[in-house]
Amino acid sequence: MSVVARFTPRAVLFDLDGTLLDTIADLAEAANLMLAELGRPQRGQDEIHRFVGKGIPNLVRRCMTENAAATEAEVDTAVAAFRRHYTVVNGMRAAIYPGVEDTLQGLRARGIRLAVVTNKAEAFTLPLLERMGIAGHFDTVVSGDTLPVKKPDPATLRLACERLGVVPAEALMIGDSANDALAAQGAGMPVLLVTYGYSEGVPVDTIECDGLLSNALQALDHIAPSAPPA
Ligand SMILES: O=C(O)COP(=O)(O)O
Ligand SMILES: [Mg+2]
């Protein structure tokens, strides 16, 4: 019988792409609009799926250099083109994963503070959360360019905790990739990984974590019920 690890977090930090929102169609569209503009071959959504996780500059670099060659100047031009296209398509075909809204409501009902910690740049993160109607659930958002470092650097999670007024040991991270797991472990907090997200082509069940979720709602099973009022 498998034992479900239980936690009593005061805050839960969520990854965005691949955990709260299915954004691959918009990311792939912006990437292919960028590649077309630069006269380069299109890439399949499955391939671009593996490039998501370490922020937009990394995604664009991989689109330009995987089985292809590009100068640094060409990569810079490509990043600017991607950002221009993604500004238009961001959120057009994005979807909230099943169970996410009930999970966010369930956590808030338990008095738990919520944050997003994403490697997506702030100029795309904030409008996307608004467009998808979930911005109001979060007490703070740390984006990929809020600090000079991104996940897996634990400084991103520590900043979210500081803003929420909790210490990392009182928080729980929920993500979809090794970037989230390593950041959580570096900050000293437990981490649950969803199995439906984007994990850079690495099987998610090979990543060290404190539990796997096939639906976001299973996160609630990992949270011990609060003690009844005395
Ligand atoms: O922008 C990315 O590459 C991934 O963003 P995420 O950290 O929300 O998964
Ligand atoms: Mg992710």
Side-chain angles (χ1 to χ4, degrees):
M1 198 183 77
S2 69
V3 179
V4 173
R6 294 271 191 132
F7 307 101
T8 50
R10 292 181 59 211
V12 176
L13 317 183
F14 284 92
D15 168 63
L16 180 58
D17 290 292
T19 299
L20 296 173
L21 299 180
D22 184 2
T23 52
I24 189 63
D26 296 334
L27 289 165
E29 184 170 2
N32 277 320
L33 287 166
M34 173 274 288
L35 290 167
E37 186 177 311
L38 301 180
R40 293 189 171 237
Q42 298 283 284
R43 290 186 186 266
Q45 186 168 298
D46 287 355
E47 189 182 15
I48 295 170
H49 191 280
R50 289 191 288 109
F51 301 165
V52 180
K54 291 196 167 65
I56 285 166
N58 180 68
L59 180 152
V60 172
R61 177 174 297 278
R62 292 189 69 181
C63 285
M64 293 293 284
T65 60
E66 208 119 312
N67 303 313
T71 64
E72 282 306 301
E74 285 170 330
V75 172
D76 289 349
T77 303
V79 170
F82 179 95
R83 291 178 70 96
R84 181 160 32 76
H85 292 298
Y86 194 50
T87 300
V88 178
V89 303
N90 182 23
M92 294 250 265
R93 286 195 281 161
I96 306 176
Y97 284 112
V100 162
E101 287 185 284
D102 287 344
T103 303
L104 298 174
Q105 272 160 22
L107 292 170
R108 288 181 70 81
R110 295 182 195 196
I112 295 172
R113 307 203 74 199
L114 304 183
V116 172
V117 184
T118 176
N119 279 349
K120 188 188 284 298
E122 186 176 279
F124 303 113
T125 301
L126 300 182
L128 181 59
L129 291 171
E130 288 292 343
R131 225 167 267 178
M132 303 307 291
I134 58 171
H137 289 300
F138 300 101
D139 300 292
T140 192
V141 178
V142 175
S143 299
D145 52 357
T146 303
L147 290 173
V149 292
K150 295 179 171 56
K151 296 174 294 182
D153 195 308
T156 51
L157 275 55
R158 287 195 199 107
L159 175 62
C161 288
E162 200 181 303
R163 288 178 174 179
L164 296 176
V166 303
V167 296
E170 296 172 318
L172 168 68
M173 176 71 194
I174 301 180
D176 67 342
S177 76
N179 301 313
D180 302 310
L182 291 170
Q185 286 148 4
M189 69 180 72
V191 57
L192 304 174
L193 294 179
V194 301
T195 55
Y196 53 76
Y198 317 143
S199 55
E200 300 177 300
V202 178
V204 74
D205 59 2
T206 65
I207 302 170
E208 197 184 323
C209 69
D210 299 283
L212 293 173
L213 314 174
S214 59
N215 180 297
L217 271 173
Q218 291 168 358
L220 299 176
D221 300 337
H222 285 269
I223 293 175
S226 21

